[in-house]
Amino acid sequence: MPRKGMRSICFSPKTPSFASPSRAAPPRSPLSGPAAAEADKVIEAAALLIMKWNPDTSTYARVTSLFYESKREAAQFITCVNNLQKSMHAWASPDSASDERLVHAQFLMEIAMKRLQKEFYQILSLNRAHLDPESVSARSSRASARSSISEYSDDGNDEACAARDSITEVEEASTAAMSDLRSIAECMIASGYGKECVAIYKIIRKSIVDEGIYRLGVERLSNSQLAKMDWDVLEMRVKNWLEALKVAIRSLFTGERILCDHVFASSDSIRESCFAEISRDGAMLLFGFPEYVTRSKRSPEEKMFRLLDMYLAISESWPDIESIFAFESTSAVRSQALTSLARLGESAHSMLSDFEAAVQKESRKSSPPVAGGGVHTLTVRAMNYLSLLADYGSILGDIFADWPRPAKSSLPESYLDTAPESDDAPAISLRLAWLILVLLCKLDGKAERYRDVATSYLFLANNLQHVVSKVRASNLQYLLGEEWIAKQESKVKQYTGNYERLAWGQVFASLPERSPSAGASPAQAQERFRRFNSSFEEAYRKQSASVVPDPKLREEILGSVGGRLVQAYGEFYEAHRLAIGEERNVGLFVRYAPEDLENYLSELFYGTGGVVGSTSSTSSSTSSNRHHSWSR
């Protein structure tokens, strides 16, 4: 409100009731004896001070603030008014309506109230900086700090003294203004002028709260604005709101509640109505913002995390919200906060269901098979999403506590073997395990697109290993449990075992099952080497494009395949190489030494598509920097 408008409310032009009486001395009254003398004494003392500060009759009083000019005289002014009010109550009786002393006292009271209205307005207006909510809310903290610092004041600690002085300076201005406002408010309320006092307070302090909310960047959004707003812009507003909520709770509303409680401590009803009217609009706007976001039609995966951020912020702030807005008249604010919390929870439900539906609808033919049996982009996206969700484990547990668990009849038997213990596991744990199962079932379908069965098993192993790695590296491990992880790791071993059997079984079969030291003719030795060369080169050609992105899994597969193969071939090599016969035949049939196999195998699972050669020279140069625990 403009300053002129505010003044017109507080300081209306002089009315006939404010006109000075024609006589200087108080008129005669029915009071007599000691009562009359006491009445004259009270009125005379009040008249001297009240008329001195009458802005209608004194230029000095019009341009000077009583409370800034002299705190002592301000206190005397308040005391005079209180004494006058008590005396007026004492004189009042059914027969005293025409008591001219009472009429004159009422005239002085009106002048005093006009003066106090002006002082109240000036203190509120000129002390906006000292009465800002942050300063007020920190007042008790500063007092505690000052008390703590004072413990060391006797030690001559210069830094402590300087800090204490700084705290004192900041606190003094705020404390003085709050004390003055309280004394004026108590005086005006006791005198029957509480309505005028409250009107000034509400107008000025509400403007401060509304301005604070605006400066925090919180504003009302229409449906049309939401429809046109890009997600990046809305996300930025959400992040700003998260910070605004902290400031509003910690400073804005807390400070305003403290100030209101202090100024109107003499009346519970007034301080309640004041705070409710001052804070309601700003608080409803602040706590209503999440509802706007939930109405947004755009649903990128990132939106889920912003919704959970807001849910977490309101949940953590709820004890403060409940405390600050504890009045019945502010119940609408509490209801709005709870409504936003419910809407955020409902949106989280909906978005997680949408995520599950999106995975379910992923077509097995939507993209070509991943080259080399590597990790599918669906696996990467889904596990990134679920691992980030796990960071909100406690909030998700709250949101999904009443979400129906997946019906056992709808779950494959394999799920029942790998799900968390269904009797006591949290609903969110079962739901996340179910979502991973949905993903794995979808991957099973995609694995069927590989023509080479060995590669399909490698694909399943790679993707399940990625799932396990993401679970172990995130809070999913606490939600799903070690038993679930162990069962999945066992499945990875099953997949890799099937891969090894199908991809390298013919190579192992080409080596003799019996002791390689058994005697063999040159023709038999030549045939065995020829058969090994053919099967190894064929297997290597097929597997040269295979990919195993996870270093640990890659090392395990190489350890299993390479360790066994190099050892078995080495024994065969030593036992049969000399049985081939002439030296020229050795070079023709024995293409690989055991160390050649090590070098070639060390090239696998990087997707390089290398071609096997006849000697170790082609591979040794590129494999020299790759050391494996299985190699000799």
Side-chain angles (χ1 to χ4, degrees):
M1 175 176 288
R3 194 178 186 88
K4 182 178 180 182
M6 185 67 237
R7 288 184 176 276
S8 68
I9 289 178
C10 301
F11 317 120
S12 57
K14 189 163 66 175
T15 62
S17 64
F18 279 73
S20 299
S22 57
R23 294 175 301 213
R28 287 170 47 186
S29 76
L31 291 174
S32 61
E38 182 63 24
D40 291 341
K41 183 179 178 181
V42 171
I43 292 175
E44 182 180 358
L48 286 175
L49 197 53
I50 291 173
M51 295 307 294
K52 175 183 176 180
W53 290 98
N54 183 1
D56 292 333
T57 59
S58 170
T59 302
Y60 174 80
R62 192 178 304 122
V63 299
T64 308
S65 169
L66 168 60
F67 279 78
Y68 279 94
E69 183 67 18
S70 172
K71 294 290 184 182
R72 181 178 180 182
E73 191 163 338
Q76 292 173 348
F77 189 96
I78 294 292
T79 300
C80 282
V81 174
N82 287 335
N83 289 339
L84 183 62
Q85 177 64 22
K86 291 177 183 177
S87 297
M88 292 172 66
H89 275 289
W91 303 335
S93 69
D95 300 328
S96 63
S98 60
D99 190 327
E100 294 186 3
R101 279 191 176 84
L102 193 60
V103 172
H104 184 61
Q106 179 61 32
F107 164 72
L108 292 176
M109 182 63 72
E110 291 177 353
I111 295 176
M113 291 301 105
K114 184 176 180 182
R115 177 79 238 179
L116 291 180
Q117 278 183 269
K118 179 177 181 179
E119 295 293 331
F120 197 76
Y121 170 79
Q122 286 182 331
I123 294 171
L124 283 172
S125 299
L126 300 178
N127 284 277
R128 289 175 70 101
H130 297 133
L131 295 176
D132 70 286
E134 186 171 1
S135 297
V136 175
S137 64
R139 187 165 172 255
S140 59
S141 299
R142 290 198 300 268
S144 298
R146 183 176 64 178
S147 175
S148 176
I149 292 172
S150 67
E151 296 177 7
Y152 302 94
S153 60
D154 295 334
D155 298 336
N157 189 321
D158 293 340
E159 291 185 4
C161 292
R164 183 190 60 197
D165 293 341
S166 175
I167 291 171
T168 302
E169 290 175 6
V170 172
E171 185 180 337
E172 278 181 351
S174 173
T175 302
M178 291 175 67
S179 178
D180 291 343
L181 290 171
R182 179 170 177 167
S183 63
I184 294 174
E186 289 178 348
C187 182
M188 293 185 70
I189 292 170
S191 301
Y193 286 78
K195 183 177 180 181
E196 291 79 357
C197 175
V198 167
I200 298 171
Y201 188 90
K202 286 180 177 179
I203 291 173
I204 293 180
R205 296 311 299 180
K206 187 177 188 305
S207 69
I208 291 174
V209 171
D210 292 345
E211 180 183 345
I213 292 293
Y214 176 78
R215 288 183 178 275
L216 289 173
V218 181
E219 56 182 309
R220 198 177 307 278
L221 298 175
S222 65
N223 291 332
S224 60
Q225 285 176 306
L226 279 173
K228 297 175 183 177
M229 192 173 292
D230 291 336
W231 168 247
D232 290 342
V233 176
L234 185 57
E235 183 179 32
M236 182 179 65
R237 285 177 177 265
V238 170
K239 292 179 179 178
N240 177 77
W241 179 87
L242 292 170
E243 291 301 316
L245 180 67
K246 295 177 185 177
V247 175
I249 295 296
R250 183 183 65 244
S251 300
L252 187 62
F253 294 121
T254 297
E256 204 58 49
R257 173 68 189 270
I258 291 172
L259 181 62
C260 198
D261 286 353
H262 180 83
V263 173
F264 298 107
S266 62
S267 173
D268 291 344
S269 60
I270 289 179
R271 67 189 179 94
E272 177 178 344
S273 66
C274 263
F275 179 72
E277 188 164 334
I278 288 167
S279 62
R280 187 184 297 111
D281 290 347
M284 293 292 286
L285 181 59
L286 178 70
F287 296 124
F289 176 82
E291 274 201 274
Y292 295 132
V293 180
T294 60
R295 289 189 217 135
S296 171
K297 300 301 181 183
R298 292 173 172 79
S299 299
E301 292 180 355
E302 294 84 354
K303 181 180 176 182
M304 170 67 105
F305 305 113
R306 300 293 79 80
L307 294 180
L308 293 176
D309 285 337
M310 289 190 287
Y311 189 100
L312 179 61
I314 296 178
S315 296
E316 290 180 340
S317 300
W318 176 247
D320 292 327
I321 295 171
E322 200 171 24
S323 174
I324 295 169
F325 301 97
F327 297 130
E328 181 61 30
S329 55
T330 55
S331 61
V333 175
R334 301 195 304 274
S335 296
Q336 177 61 70
L338 291 176
T339 298
S340 290
L341 208 59
R343 295 288 181 272
L344 290 168
E346 291 168 4
S347 293
H349 271 261
S350 176
M351 294 189 72
L352 201 56
S353 296
D354 291 345
F355 170 78
E356 179 182 340
V359 175
Q360 292 273 27
K361 292 177 182 177
E362 173 82 12
S363 172
R364 57 182 291 184
K365 298 181 179 180
S366 60
S367 59
V370 180
V375 179
H376 200 282
T377 55
L378 175 63
T379 308
V380 175
R381 292 199 315 270
M383 290 311 300
N384 284 344
Y385 184 73
L386 294 178
S387 60
L388 287 174
L389 272 182
D391 292 338
Y392 300 87
S394 59
I395 293 300
L396 289 172
D398 181 32
I399 294 175
F400 298 109
D402 57 348
W403 204 3
R405 301 185 176 198
K408 290 186 177 182
S409 60
S410 68
L411 301 177
E413 185 177 350
S414 60
Y415 172 74
L416 298 178
D417 292 338
T418 58
E421 293 299 324
S422 58
D423 290 338
D424 56 2
I428 186 59
S429 297
L430 291 176
R431 183 59 56 174
L432 290 174
W434 165 260
L435 291 173
I436 293 176
L437 174 67
V438 171
L439 170 65
L440 296 179
C441 288
K442 187 59 60 174
L443 293 172
D444 282 342
K446 291 183 178 295
E448 295 175 2
R449 297 194 63 196
Y450 288 96
R451 294 181 180 180
D452 179 48
V453 180
T455 306
S456 70
Y457 278 111
L458 186 63
F459 171 80
L460 291 174
N462 276 326
N463 282 269
L464 185 53
Q465 179 64 29
H466 182 81
V467 170
V468 171
S469 296
K470 293 296 287 187
V471 169
R472 282 208 176 277
S474 68
N475 287 325
L476 282 170
Q477 62 179 315
Y478 306 114
L479 295 172
L480 298 176
E482 281 297 324
E483 184 177 356
W484 185 93
I485 296 174
K487 289 178 179 179
Q488 304 308 315
E489 289 176 334
S490 177
K491 278 192 171 184
V492 173
K493 292 186 182 298
Q494 292 177 22
Y495 290 145
T496 57
N498 290 339
Y499 161 77
E500 293 169 15
R501 177 175 53 82
L502 293 168
W504 299 96
Q506 290 298 321
V507 180
F508 285 106
S510 68
L511 297 172
E513 295 181 4
R514 295 180 180 179
S515 172
S517 61
S521 66
Q524 289 176 323
Q526 291 172 10
E527 176 59 23
R528 288 174 179 175
F529 273 108
R530 184 186 62 77
R531 195 167 57 197
F532 173 82
N533 295 338
S534 175
S535 60
F536 176 75
E537 289 168 5
E538 176 65 15
Y540 191 89
R541 180 186 64 79
K542 288 183 177 180
Q543 301 308 315
S544 60
S546 296
V547 176
V548 181
D550 185 87
K552 180 175 178 290
L553 182 62
R554 183 167 60 243
E555 192 71 19
E556 289 176 356
I557 295 176
L558 285 174
S560 179
V561 174
R564 289 190 298 132
L565 184 59
V566 171
Q567 180 181 356
Y569 180 75
E571 294 174 355
F572 170 74
Y573 175 84
E574 294 296 336
H576 292 80
R577 181 172 62 89
L578 298 178
I580 289 179
E582 299 179 7
E583 183 67 28
R584 64 184 182 86
N585 289 336
V586 173
L588 179 63
F589 292 101
V590 183
R591 297 184 184 179
Y592 310 105
E595 57 268 23
D596 294 331
L597 296 188
E598 293 180 5
N599 290 332
Y600 280 120
L601 291 173
S602 66
E603 291 290 313
L604 288 177
F605 306 128
Y606 291 96
T608 55
V611 179
V612 69
S614 60
T615 66
S616 62
S617 61
T618 58
S619 61
S620 60
S621 61
T622 57
S623 65
S624 59
N625 292 328
R626 293 175 182 164
H627 173 76
H628 297 276
S629 59
W630 53 268
S631 60
R632 296 185 303 174

